[in-house]
């Protein structure tokens, strides 16, 4: 099912997952919760994300009105990303997920050779 198909569903959870449905988008939102950041900063702050996935995720989040991409007419060009009001409304949910993980996280069993 395409991302746009989810956004047209009658189920609120399916529509929400159409926006937040990749593993990286909630992490990007959580990372921007209390700051503006440039692409390179996000790339450094979010472990294991490829630059291609970061680029496409930022573009989709911007299209969905979750983040704002602000271009500065400078040399060299500078772009900053920040949450919109719609994006900021997700912060309590993301913080609750992080709290849930801290409460129920179990260390992976070590491999015995």
């Amino acid at each position: 099912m395409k991302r746009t198909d989810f956004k047209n569903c009658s189920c609120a959870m399916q529509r929400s997952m159409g926006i937040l449905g990749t593993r990286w988008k909630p992490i990007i939102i959580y990372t921007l919760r209390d700051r503006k950041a440039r692409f390179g900063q996000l790339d450094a702050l979010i472990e294991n994300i490829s630059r291609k996935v970061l680029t496409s995720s930022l573009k989709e989040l911007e299209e969905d009105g979750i983040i704002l991409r602000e271009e500065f007419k400078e040399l060299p060009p500078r772009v900053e990303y920040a949450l919109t009001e719609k994006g900021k409304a997700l912060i309590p949910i993301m913080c609750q997920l992080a709290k849930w993980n801290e409460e129920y996280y179990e260390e992976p069993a070590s491999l015995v050779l």
Side-chain angles (χ1 to χ4, degrees):
M1 189 176 242
K2 294 179 187 171
R3 183 175 95 87
T4 53
D5 293 341
F6 278 105
K7 290 163 61 171
N8 298 321
C9 290
S10 61
C11 174
M13 181 57 92
Q14 285 181 325
R15 288 191 311 269
S16 298
M17 294 313 294
I19 294 171
L20 302 174
T22 70
R23 77 182 209 190
W24 295 109
K25 288 180 184 178
I27 296 167
I28 293 167
I29 294 166
Y30 188 74
T31 302
L32 289 171
R33 72 189 176 281
D34 55 4
R35 67 174 63 113
K36 289 182 177 185
R38 295 172 72 170
F39 182 88
Q41 292 170 316
L42 288 170
D43 187 41
L45 289 168
I46 302 172
E47 295 179 29
N48 302 318
I49 191 170
S50 72
R51 294 176 75 85
K52 179 181 177 183
V53 170
L54 179 57
T55 298
S56 64
S57 297
L58 288 169
K59 184 181 229 179
E60 289 176 5
L61 287 167
E62 182 183 12
E63 288 170 3
D64 291 328
I66 304 297
I67 64 167
L68 176 67
R69 181 181 187 270
E70 186 176 6
E71 292 184 45
F72 296 89
K73 305 295 181 195
E74 302 173 348
L75 286 175
R78 178 170 57 110
V79 175
E80 287 184 344
Y81 296 92
L83 293 175
T84 63
E85 288 305 312
K86 185 177 177 181
K88 289 176 184 176
L90 291 166
I91 296 307
I93 298 165
M94 300 302 158
C95 289
Q96 194 63 31
L97 276 171
K99 184 178 176 184
W100 170 82
N101 180 264
E102 289 170 0
E103 188 172 332
Y104 292 102
Y105 177 74
E106 295 178 15
E107 290 286 332
S110 56
L111 297 174
V112 179
L113 299 177

